[in-house]
Amino acid sequence: QVQLVESGGGSVQIGGSLTLSCAASGATSSSSFMGWFRQVPGKEREGVAAIYSDNGNTYVAASVKGRFTISRDNANNTIFLLMNSLKPDDTAMYYCAADGSAPFIALSYNYWGQGTQVTVAS
């Protein structure tokens, strides 16, 4: 069983930055993705960024490319999402996910964190 704990959310002004962290306990599968998704009420969960376990390859959604960066600390089984140049449209609950078979398909992930709220003030 894998448990994921996110942290780092909060309120920020337009153009500001935040870094989200996701600490995983328990063994995640090899050859799988860990990723970040976000969701606003009434909309589907959207894949934001993902990282592949075997080689560290990263995948970033077009909507945030150039502004968001995903990275990992293997020693501490933690992934990060650095978010720069934040916009009001980035306001959402952000979720960490693990053991995914496809980077941006939520249903492919087996484990989810509880979420952390990011609010970008307009």
Side-chain angles (χ1 to χ4, degrees):
Q1 189 74 12
V2 174
Q3 290 189 326
L4 304 173
V5 179
E6 302 105 330
S7 61
S11 295
V12 64
Q13 292 189 331
I14 294 173
S17 298
L18 281 175
T19 299
L20 306 183
S21 301
C22 173
S25 61
T28 56
S29 300
S30 60
S31 305
S32 67
F33 293 93
M34 284 190 74
W36 290 97
F37 288 75
R38 65 186 183 184
Q39 190 171 26
V40 296
K43 290 193 174 181
E44 289 189 0
R45 199 163 287 193
E46 173 194 15
V48 175
I51 190 164
Y52 191 57
S53 61
D54 290 4
N55 55 20
N57 283 356
T58 61
Y59 303 80
V60 180
S63 58
V64 301
K65 200 157 194 171
R67 301 188 297 119
F68 289 14
T69 303
I70 186 171
S71 61
R72 67 182 180 183
D73 176 356
N74 286 335
N76 293 302
N77 218 12
T78 299
I79 64 169
F80 304 95
L81 184 68
L82 170 60
M83 305 184 292
N84 292 322
S85 303
L86 283 161
K87 307 173 182 179
D89 283 352
D90 297 318
T91 296
M93 185 71 78
Y94 283 72
Y95 296 91
C96 174
D99 264 17
S101 58
F104 297 135
I105 299 178
L107 287 176
S108 81
Y109 286 79
N110 292 318
Y111 301 103
W112 291 87
Q114 80 286 354
T116 186
Q117 178 68 35
V118 171
T119 302
V120 184
S122 58

